[in-house]
Amino acid sequence: MANPSRGTRGMAVAPHSLASQSALAVLREGGNAVEAMIAATATIAVVYPHMNGIGGDSFWLVRTPADGVIGIDACGASAAGVSRADYAGKPAIPFRGGSAAITVAATMSGWNAAYRHSIEKLGGRLPLSRLLEDAIHYAKSGIAVTYSQHMNTTKKLAELKDIHGFAGAFLIDGKPPATGDVFLQPRMGATFEQLAHAGLDDYYRGDLARAIAKDLATAQSPVTLADLEAHQALIRRPLELAHSLGRVYNMPPPTQGLVSLLILGQMDRLGIARFDHLSADYVHAAVEATKRAFRVRDRFITDPEVMRKNGAPDPQSLLEGAYLDAEAAKIDMAKAAPWGAGKGPADTIWMGVIDGQGNAVSLIQSIYHEFGSGVVLGGTGINWQNRGASFSLDPQHINTLEPRKKPFHTLNPALALLDDGRVMVYGNMGGDGQPQSQSAVFTRTAVLGMNPQDAIAAPRWLLGRTWGQTSDTLKLEGRFPAATVEELRRRGHDVEMYPDFDETLGHAGCVIRHPNGNFEGGFDPRSDGGVAAW
C-alpha cells in the first residue's frame, strides 16, 4: 500500500456511495484517477449488482494533460457460432437465458487496458490486489441491499427466477432480498481474488477463462473459450465536438456517443444560453435536437467495421460545422417534429474521477437490462449480460445478428475540456435517456452556469425509452412549471408526467476541476450515489 502522505487531491462521483469512497481511498493513498476508477468500478460491480457487473461491457474516456484524451472500447462481439438461424420462428432474440447471453463480456478487458495505461503513462504503482481490495471485502463480508436492488429484483422476479443460476445468486431463501438485508456474494469474492492474483487477462486466457467457458456451455450460451481468447479491448480515438465553450469528447460507434455530441452541437447553434433551464424553449430545443440525432443513429450506427463496409459516413464528419448548422436550421422552435420509436432500455452505471494533476476518467459500465441475461455462472458467480438481445433478426437491418459482430450500444461516457481551463467528466445511465440527460447536465453547468449538484437535481425530460420502460412519450418530471408543460403540449409534444426524482430519468453525475485546482461535483438524488473528495 502506498504511503498516505503521497495522496493526491481529487473528486469522484458514482451512483453508489461506496464506489465513490473506494475511489477516494485510492486517491488518498497516492493513486491516480485511473487507479481510483478501477477500484470504484470493481466496488460498484459488487454493491450495485442489478445495474452492472463483470459479465458486461464498458467504455472509458481517459484524459491526461500530456497525452490528451483516449477511448477504451471494452465491448464484446457476438459468438463465432451464433446465427440468425438459431432463432428461427422467433420475432426477436430473447432478453433472458442462455440464448440471450451471446456476446463476450468485455468489461474486464477495459479494466486491464486502463491498468496498463496507468502504469505506462501515469506511473501508476498500486497493485491489483489493492485496487480490488474493497470489492473483495464487500463480496465476502456482505453489503446492505439498496431499495433499488430490492425493487428491481421484485419487479423482474417472474422472468428471472427460473433462469440458470439466478435464484442462487440473487434471492435469499427463494425471495427477493429486502432493503437493508445483508447480501453476500462469496463466489464473486473468490473470482476477484483470482483476478488479483493471476491478473485481469485471466478472464480471457487463463484458468478463470476456462471456468467461465465451461459454465457458459452449461447455461446453453454459444460463447466459447475461443471467443473469450479472441477478445481484446481497443484503444480508440474519441469523437470530438468543437463547441463554442471548448472541446467535448465521446466514444465512437458502436456507441451512441455521436448522438450525444450531435445534440450538444445543435443546441449550441440554437443559442440555448438565452433560455431558462425550466422553460419550454429550452426543453423543446433539446428534444428536437435529439430527434434529429436519433435519425442519424438509427440509420447508421452499428459495429464500426460493418459501417465502413456499408459506406456509412465517418461519424466525425457529422460533427463538422456545416453539417451541424444545417441540422440546427431544420428545427422548428414553434412545432414538434414527428417522432418514431426509441431503442429501448439499458441498465447501466456511469462514474467519473478527476485527480489533482488533471487526469480524468469518464466510465460507463453495463449488463444491458436489469440483471442482464439473468444467467449466473455457477463456478464464478458472474452474471452475464444480454447485450446481444439488441441485435435485430432482420437480415436487412444495420444491426442484424451476425457472428463476431459488435452490437449497437446506448452506452456513452462524456468528457469536456473547456476553453477557460475547466476539465469536466459527466454521464448518465438509461438507454435513450443517456444522451438527453448528458445534454441537460452539460448545458446547465457549462453553458448556463449552474453548479453540478443543482444541474443534476433539476427536473429532467426524456424522449423515448429508458430502463424498465416501453413508452415513447416525452416524459417530464413533475417539478417543471405548469406553463412549461402546457406550452410543450401546445407545440405538439406527447407529454407524460412522472413523479419528482423518478429513477426512470436515470442516474447522472458530474465532476469539474477548475484551473485553480478547485473541484465541483454533483451526484444524482435519484440514485444511491455520492460525491467524494479530498
Side-chain angles (χ1 to χ4, degrees), residues 150-222:
H150 162 74
M151 181 268 293
N152 279 279
T153 310
T154 302
K155 186 166 65 173
K156 299 297 179 180
L157 182 62
E159 64 191 72
L160 287 168
K161 61 184 177 66
D162 296 325
I163 301 298
H164 179 91
F166 179 84
F170 290 112
L171 304 182
I172 297 178
D173 296 327
K175 298 178 181 179
T179 303
D181 278 354
V182 176
F183 183 67
L184 298 166
Q185 300 168 82
R187 289 175 297 168
M188 185 61 64
T191 295
F192 273 113
E193 287 178 329
Q194 170 69 11
L195 290 165
H197 168 73
L200 301 177
D201 197 54
D202 197 57
Y203 194 103
Y204 303 97
R205 283 162 284 276
D207 292 339
L208 187 58
R210 288 183 280 276
I212 289 171
K214 180 181 178 181
D215 285 345
L216 284 169
T218 301
Q220 297 185 313
S221 164

Side-chain angles (χ1 to χ4, degrees), residues 258-273:
L258 176 62
V259 173
S260 295
L261 298 181
L262 286 172
I263 294 170
L264 290 183
Q266 292 174 83
M267 291 181 74
D268 197 23
R269 284 154 176 79
L270 292 172
I272 53 91

